[in-house]
Each structure stands twice: as C-alpha cells, then as structure tokens.
Amino acid sequence: MSELVIETKGLSKRYGDVIAVDALDLAVRRGEVFGLLGPNGSGKTTTILMLLGLTEPTAGSVQVLGLDPARQPLSVKARVGYMPDEVGFYEELTARENLVYIAKLNGLPRDEAYRRIDEVLARMGLSEVGDRRVATFSRGMRRRLGVAEVLLKQPQLIIMDEPTQGLDPEGARELLHIIRELKGEDITILLSSHLLYQVQAVCDRVGLFHRGRMVLEGTVSDLAQQVLGSTYRIQLQADGPASTLMKALQHLPGVVNIERDGDNRYQVAAANDLRAEVANAIVTAGGRLLMLNVEAPSLDDIYARYFQEVEHVAAA
Amino acid sequence: MSLQLKQARRERVREGSPWTGLWAVVAKEMADHLTSVRMHILEVLIVLTAAGTVYAAMQSLRNSVGQDPFLLLKLFTTAREPLPAFVGFLGFLVPLIAIALAFDSVNGEFNRRTMSRILAQPIYRDALLLGKFLAGLFTLALVLTAIWLLIIGLGIVGLGVPPSGEEVARSLWFLLASVFYGGIWLALAMVFSVVFRQPATAALASIAVWLFFTVFWEILAGLIAPVLRPVRFGFPEEILAQTQLELTLTRLSPNTLYGEVMLALLHPTVRSVGLVLPIQLQGAVLGTPLPLRQSLLLIWPQFTGLVAATILLFALGYVLFQRQEIRA
Ligand SMILES: Nc1ncnc2c1ncn2[C@@H]1O[C@H](COP(=O)(O)OP(=O)(O)O)[C@@H](O)[C@H]1O
Ligand SMILES: [Mg+2]
C-alpha cells in the first residue's frame, strides 16, 4: 500500500528574480514521516504554503490527498493540519476559546467540538491550563497547543513548519515524542527543519533542500551511504604516549584517518566498524582505554560533506 | 502560453461557497470588540457625550414643549453654549469608533502570527475579511442603537412627551445613515490595516484622511473651483457654475454627505441641501415641515453615496487582501 499523499511535479515558485522553489518533484507516501531539511531560505516554507494552497505556484502541479489545493482548497484544508513556523494564538483568549474558534471554522457541531477539544487538550497535557489565557503560556505550551489545534480536525496529513524551532532541548524532545506517537496512528507527517540533527531520528525519509532544489532524497542511512561512503567515525579516549598509540592505530587494516582531538582523545575514520580491533590495539600498545564509541552518520555531516564536494567540483 | 495558463486559472471555479465560516468569524470578532478595553473607553465617552448634550438641550427645550411637533429631533440638534449639539459630536465620534474598530483588524492577525493558522482552516479569505467588516459594522450599529435608545428615553422622561411615529422614523433613518457613515471609516481603516503592517501607522493614516476631509477639503474645494471655473466677466452663469462645482467637490467628502443627510432628516423644514435658487422656492410655504418621504428623496443621492463609498472601499481592501502574501 504505497498510496501517495503528496505528489508534486515540477513545482516552482518565483518571487521576481528569486526562485524560491525550483522544479520540485516530491512524493510522500501514506503513513510516512517526511522531513524537508535545509538551511534558512532554501524554500521549505514556500513549498509548504503551495501544498496548502496558501500561495499560488508559478509552475508545476500539486496533488495533496488526491486533490488540487488551488482548485479544491476547502477540501484540502479540511483534511490537512498545518502548524506554521511561528505559531501564534489570540493572547487574550483562553486555550480552549482559541480551539473553539478553530472548531467553528471547521464547521464542527458544538457537542462534537467540545468533546474533541477536551480530548486533544488532555492528549497534549494541557487540560489543567485549558482555561488560562494563552498570554501566560510558555513557548513549549504554545507549540503543544498548536499540535492540539492540528489534531482537532482529525487530519489525514499533518504539516509542521520548523516544529522544534525556539524550543529548549526538553521541549524539542517532547515534541519529537509526540510526532513519533502520531506516526503510529496512520497519519502522514511532513515536517521541515533547518536543525538537521534534531529531526533525523523521527523521519522515515528526508529531502535535503538547497536554494530551492531538493538535492538529496532518501532514508538517512541511504544518504549516508551515498555521500559519506561507508565511513565510520570511532571516537576514543585513552591515556598513554600519543605517538605510540597513533602508530598502533595506523597499522590497523581499514583505518582511513586518525585525528587527535585533545589531550587523550582521538577520532578514527574507518571503512568498517573497527571497535574491537581498536580496543585491542590500544591495550596492546600499553594504553589505558577510557572510552570507545562509534558515531552513527549524522545528517549534518552528510549535508556538510555534500556541499564540500559540490563546491569542490564547482571550484575545479 | 503562461498568459493562457493564468487565464485558465482565473476562470476556474472555486469549490464551495466563499462565505463558508463567515458567521464564525463575525461571532468571534464581535465578541472581541464587545469585551475589549478600547471599546469600553469609547462607549463611556459616547454615553457621556450623549447624556451631557441631551441634558443641555433639554434645558433649552423645556419651554417649547407643546409648541414644537419635532421636539425629540431637537434633542439631537440643539446646542447650548458652550457645548455643541450631539450630532456635532457624532461627526467625529462615529469615525473615531469606526477607525478604532478596524485599524488593526488585518495587520493584527499577521503580527500575532494567527493569519496563516486561520487561513489554513477550510475558509476563504473572503469570509475572513467580510466577517471582520460585518463584525465592526454590527458593533457600531449596536453602540449607536444603544445611544439612540438612551436619547429617546431621556427625552420621554425629561420632556414628558411621547415620540411621534414621524420622529421615530426620521431618527431611525438618521441612525442608519450614521452606521453607513461609520462604514466608510471602518472600510478605510481596514484598507490601511491591509496595506500597513504596523497598526499604529494604519491608525494614523486613517486619522490623517479623516482630518483632511474634516479640516482641509472645504478650503481646498474653495481654492480649486475658481481655478477650474473662473468668473471672468461676472455673468451670473459663471458664478453659478463656480458655486456648483465647489458644491460638487465638497460632496466628495463623506463628512459633507453625512452633514446633508443629517440636516434633511433631523430638520423637517429643510427643503433643499446645497444651492437654493429662488425659482425652487416658488409656491413653497417656508417653515412648513416636509413629510419624511420628501426629505428622504431630497438626500437620497447623498445616502446612496455613503453606502456606495463604503462598498467601494471594502472592495478595494478585498482586492488588496486577496493579493497579499500570507507568510507573516
Ligand atoms: N514574499 C516574498 N517575496 C520575495 N521573496 C521571498 C518571499 N517569500 C520568500 N522569499 C524568498 O524565497 C526563498 C525561500 O524562502 P523560504 O521558503 O521561506 O525558505 P525556508 O522556509 O527554507 O527558510 C528565500 O530566498 C526568500 O528570501
Ligand atoms: Mg521557513
């Protein structure tokens, strides 16, 4: 069952001379968590606005849940929950009153609306503060209220623009936890972020944006394979004469590079997972092994490496 | 090719009614208005003004009870030094309330970052803008109706005369005219709230336009008319043409239109607004009141002018808002 929830073909948006989104082909399957990742200004928000029919594309086609957002905006917006990057509420109203307004705009009958509001507030841990004015809410609470609002219409697709931006680590973790929960409920999620490492763990697939183009797409491990090759980064901490230890490590088969990060810290790049061999080599060379760790490939690395290479090619 | 594409886009039929969700917006916005501190201040201001001016008017009118058939209307229009009449205050209280209701209606949503969230709900922008406008208009109507009831009530108690049907009808038409006069300023402030991101800028721009029409427009009309229709030889036709042009120019101001409507509705004896030629007075018995129908006919163009200006300004705001980029 690989029904497409979002499908764009050659989707483009120009603002005068600026090409905000350039011929984007995007396909998101049902039940998937897809991450639009890239630095600020790379076209993520513009893409999202076009998916919702809030901005008209300059060219190309969009299908969301099989509908055209420009032609059938009401049907699309009734089925898609959207949390903007800077989610704002009516400060002078309570959380509940804010949700009541949204429920009315969605044409929910009164009883149904109140039932759902209680439900989503409880789910987001906001039951106790539901009757407090939003002006008194922290950023994390506002973001959770944003999710509550999105869930209110029981959407088939949720689009979140920079959901973790501006949250403290605790708040960000909470939000990612919520996303992971939703994923288990057959809701498709599209989220954007410029903080790659934060969302890496929740995304099934990611698309990396650069200047309006999606330059890389796939699962994180696919991308790592593609861009970094099979590189493992092993970090270790060991007491002992540095030169001896470095020499011992250099002789291991498969080691590509060794760097000394600090007094007794080293980083080993290898073609495969050499943790056992490294430990053995350190001990045999008379060192005291204090820490040994292999780092999973991170999106930041992938992104950085990809653009190093692109610029390398461009410079050459 | 791209032109064709654009045309095709424009021609496509939008799904559903553009007014889906309209009443949800109206209800929410009206609740906001009626509970806002801003409106409470204005309500106190207008109640005090009404009570003060009407009380003063009653002092002067006591003696004419039983002689004047339009005593209640005089409550609105009688001035007693040093206070102007209530209608004199209305001329600027209505624009003030209207501007206060609308200057942050659209930019406020952007600044609170609620715009994209609201427009991501299954409604069109049309419903949001019209809903905000109607909520403002209804609020204004509510406030003015309350004041109207207050004045009529004060009149009945204070002067001891029941209102005649004619008086009630005339003052109700006047109430309606006041609401549309407010509608113009409401729509104008709304246009500025679409154009300017800063509510303070929108408020100042609205007040600047109001000041322009209140203070400068008549002076300007007096300067422009002689330039366009100069009196070269002193013929009566020349003088008439110049005066008529000046009158036409001043009527471009909503204040003039409202003033003329007010005059004809609240002073039944007024048989002409603007220029009066001797020939028009032939056969007329000066001082006899006109029936309401005649008074209405007299100012019907002004009345429709007020309504049309409101609609035009709203349409302008609508077009500007439709083209606006939603990203805050
Ligand atoms: N209304 C606009 N007018 C002109 N340029 C715009 C407008 N909105 C966005 N852009 C440009 O489009 C590009 C993409 O912006 P955006 O989609 O917001 O990026 P992101 O969400 O990835 O940070 C940026 O270069 C931005 O400057
Ligand atoms: Mg963005």
Side-chain angles (χ1 to χ4, degrees), chain B residues 186-300:
Chain B
L186 196 68
L188 181 81
M190 211 162 205
V191 168
F192 284 135
S193 88
V194 172
V195 175
F196 299 115
R197 273 297 146 89
Q198 289 301 321
T201 314
L204 276 178
S206 313
I207 290 173
V209 173
W210 175 74
L211 263 183
F212 173 78
F213 279 123
T214 306
V215 180
F216 299 112
W217 183 240
E218 258 182 69
I219 302 172
L220 265 181
L223 293 177
I224 296 171
V227 175
L228 294 182
R229 294 265 185 287
V231 179
R232 286 208 188 83
F233 311 104
F235 293 142
E237 293 84 359
E238 284 182 330
I239 298 172
L240 190 65
Q242 189 183 91
T243 320
Q244 237 150 14
L245 177 69
E246 191 177 330
L247 193 67
T248 313
L249 284 176
T250 57
R251 279 184 179 152
L252 291 180
S253 155
N255 296 0
T256 311
L257 296 182
Y258 181 58
E260 290 180 353
V261 170
M262 180 152 79
L263 193 68
L265 284 174
L266 296 183
H267 296 274
T269 50
V270 167
R271 21 194 73 240
S272 167
V273 285
L275 267 189
V276 185
L277 298 179
I279 193 159
Q280 290 171 313
L281 287 178
Q282 267 178 16
V285 183
L286 281 178
T288 47
L290 284 179
L292 173 59
R293 247 185 78 81
Q294 295 293 319
S295 291
L296 273 179
L297 273 179
L298 196 65
I299 43 86
W300 200 244

Side-chain angles (χ1 to χ4, degrees), chain B residues 72-73 76 144 148-149 151-152 163-178 265-266 292:
Chain B
L72 277 178
L73 294 184
F76 292 86
L144 291 177
W148 181 86
L149 285 171
I151 292 176
I152 299 284
S164 69
E166 171 93 6
E167 279 175 311
V168 171
R170 279 180 178 271
S171 55
L172 277 180
W173 273 102
F174 172 62
L175 181 65
L176 194 65
S178 301
L265 284 174
L266 296 183
L292 173 59

Side-chain angles (χ1 to χ4, degrees), chain A residues 56 75 77 88 90 106 149, chain B residues 9 15 109 117 119 121-122:
Chain A
E56 228 176 295
S75 304
K77 292 194 282 186
Y90 300 106
N106 278 278
E149 184 222 291
Chain B
R9 258 194 209 134
E15 163 203 37
E109 299 275 353
R117 219 164 46 79
L119 289 181
Q121 308 311 321

Side-chain angles (χ1 to χ4, degrees), chain A residues 15 18 20 39-46, chain B residues 325 327:
Chain A
Y15 291 107
V18 181
N40 284 325
S42 56
K44 306 181 298 289
T45 300
T46 309
Chain B
E325 199 50 53
R327 183 183 334 228

